[in-house]
Amino acid sequence: MTSTAPHLIAPSLLAADFARLGEEVAAIESAGADWLHLDVMDGHFVPNISFGPAVVQALRPHSRLPFDVHLMIEPVDPYLEAFAKAGADHITIHAEAGPHLHRSLQAIRALGVKAGVSLCPATPPEALSQVLDMVDLILVMSVNPGFGGQKFLHGQVGKIRTLREMINKTGRQIRLAVDGGIDTETAPVAVAAGADVLIAGSAVYGRDDYAAAIRALRSA
Ligand SMILES: O=C(CO)[C@@H](O)[C@H](O)COP(=O)(O)O
Ligand SMILES: [Fe+2]
């Protein structure tokens, strides 16, 4: 079962040149990206540290693209408002990042931004069965979160398929994103399983020609 929505390409800023972030954000919009994916890592939920709301806020004037903020942090609730105020359009939290996923999703919706939830590779799709009415976006991690440039875990494809079926049964417009190891070989696998948002760091920001890299992913 595939999606009827057009597929979106969301380059991940994690693979950009951190010394020139403003230019990198503007360049990816000109290159035809649909969303900008921003990976926030705390050195606690994941074994890496990236950036926080001050960087998101500083980048906001450099692009009109939707800012898709992927929070790999724990706890999450104390920081939601800061990311919304910084200019996040979507805030995605991890189902594994605390016992009160429902409350955190309520808090995101109350801030007036789109609510996303992400699953690490070891978490089954059923973890979301009680919150499907509260989410605008589901993000399947096809690597263990924390680093760019890892290999796509093919064992996650069945989960993408199951989540596509769960989403279609709701009749709601819920985007299904896949994040980690997406390139021209794995993008078609993810899309065939039902994904409609492809998040890619190295396969876009790691290339010299961003527009060509985005076109290649779109047509793959
Ligand atoms: O959330 C993450 C990693 O934790 C991702 O968004 C990566 O940044 C994707 O990078 P590539 O695997 O595409 O290089
Ligand atoms: Fe991400």
Side-chain angles (χ1 to χ4, degrees):
M1 223 185 311
T2 50
S3 161
T4 50
H7 303 120
L8 304 179
I9 308 293
S12 163
L13 197 64
L14 197 63
D17 178 353
F18 273 28
R20 300 171 36 255
L21 280 182
E23 290 164 49
E24 291 277 68
V25 167
I28 218 68
E29 181 169 3
S30 311
D34 297 300
W35 295 354
L36 180 74
H37 184 80
L38 299 114
D39 289 303
V40 176
M41 303 176 175
D42 66 351
H44 170 71
F45 179 69
V46 289
N48 195 7
I49 298 176
S50 58
F51 50 80
V55 171
V56 177
Q57 186 174 5
L59 293 175
R60 191 60 279 189
H62 293 264
S63 170
R64 279 164 307 184
L65 289 179
F67 275 15
D68 179 48
V69 175
H70 178 191
L71 294 184
M72 287 162 273
I73 66 174
E74 182 186 7
V76 72
D77 292 357
Y79 303 101
L80 296 175
E81 190 176 355
F83 282 101
K85 282 196 175 143
D89 295 281
H90 320 148
I91 296 181
T92 295
I93 58 176
H94 268 264
E96 305 85 359
H100 298 296
L101 176 62
H102 191 282
R103 179 186 292 150
S104 301
L105 290 170
Q106 279 179 324
I108 296 173
R109 290 165 76 89
L111 289 165
V113 300
K114 292 201 186 294
V117 60
S118 178
L119 298 180
C120 288
T123 307
E126 293 74 27
L128 301 186
S129 62
Q130 303 303 310
V131 294
L132 285 176
D133 58 333
M134 308 176 72
V135 296
D136 304 291
L137 168 73
I138 294 172
L139 187 162
V140 174
M141 286 305 307
S142 42
V143 298
N144 282 297
F147 301 94
Q150 303 180 77
K151 266 179 85 69
F152 183 86
L153 296 169
H154 282 270
Q156 297 302 305
V157 173
K159 189 197 288 186
I160 301 170
R161 223 177 275 125
T162 304
L163 284 165
R164 167 50 58 200
E165 283 168 13
M166 287 165 68
I167 289 170
N168 287 359
K169 274 191 199 139
T170 67
R172 296 187 63 237
Q173 295 289 325
I174 301 173
R175 285 280 180 184
L176 182 56
V178 180
D179 188 7
I182 291 291
D183 57 24
T184 50
E185 303 222 321
T186 55
V189 177
V191 169
D196 57 16
V197 181
L198 298 170
I199 297 166
S202 342
V204 178
Y205 273 116
R207 301 293 152 92
D208 290 335
D209 185 340
Y210 299 164
I214 290 170
R215 274 198 307 274
L217 280 179
R218 235 186 256 294
S219 56

